[in-house]
């Protein structure tokens, strides 16, 4: 089967600001209980996905394009770019923002349920 991703737009997510486009690669049903999201996220210029905690799941981000500012569980702030992986373990907090005024920040996100 070949299909286009399901596209969804969310605003001011997790106390953040701006628009984030979700291109769902698999639906939650297609993940067969192993996870809740597998998607390419596009953070529009100036958008922020607010700091939040992962309870009962973990999530890696793979940065595809653009430059982001990632806030880790311990409050460490790191500039991330293409090829970087941000790993969020069960119970960790994190957030990410796109500081650019002109370019999107694109990343692949996979939320996996705790075993």
């Amino acid at each position: 089967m070949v299909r286009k991703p399901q596209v969804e737009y969310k605003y001011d997510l997790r106390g953040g600001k701006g628009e984030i486009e979700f291109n769902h690669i698999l639906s939650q049903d297609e993940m067969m209980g192993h996870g809740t999201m597998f998607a390419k996220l596009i953070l529009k210029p100036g958008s922020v996905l607010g700091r939040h905690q992962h309870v009962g799941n973990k999530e890696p981000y793979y940065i595809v394009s653009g430059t982001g500012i990632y806030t880790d569980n311990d409050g460490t702030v790191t500039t991330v770019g293409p090829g970087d992986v941000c790993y969020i373990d069960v119970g960790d907090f994190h957030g990410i923002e796109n500081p650019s005024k002109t370019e999107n920040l694109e990343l692949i996100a996979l939320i996996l349920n705790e075993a």
Side-chain angles (χ1 to χ4, degrees), residues 9-45:
Y9 297 89
K10 296 185 180 183
Y11 300 87
D12 306 329
L13 192 59
R14 306 278 191 177
K17 68 176 184 177
E19 178 182 280
I20 301 176
E21 178 181 320
F22 286 73
N23 293 271
H24 294 280
I25 297 166
L26 292 177
S27 71
Q28 195 167 345
D29 287 343
E30 290 170 324
M31 295 190 71
M32 301 185 316
H34 298 286
T36 57
M37 187 182 75
F38 181 34
K40 179 174 85 170
L41 277 58
I42 302 173
L43 281 76
K44 304 298 180 174

Side-chain angles (χ1 to χ4, degrees), residues 47-65:
S47 292
V48 177
L49 195 163
R51 192 169 187 269
H52 61 281
Q53 185 178 30
H54 279 258
V55 177
N57 58 48
K58 56 179 66 181
E59 178 180 33
Y61 284 165
Y62 177 79
I63 309 300
V64 176
S65 66

Side-chain angles (χ1 to χ4, degrees), residues 90-106:
V90 176
D92 282 357
F93 286 85
H94 75 105
I96 193 164
E97 64 182 272
N98 178 0
S100 176
K101 294 185 186 326
T102 58
E103 294 183 16
N104 290 337
L105 170 62
E106 297 187 13

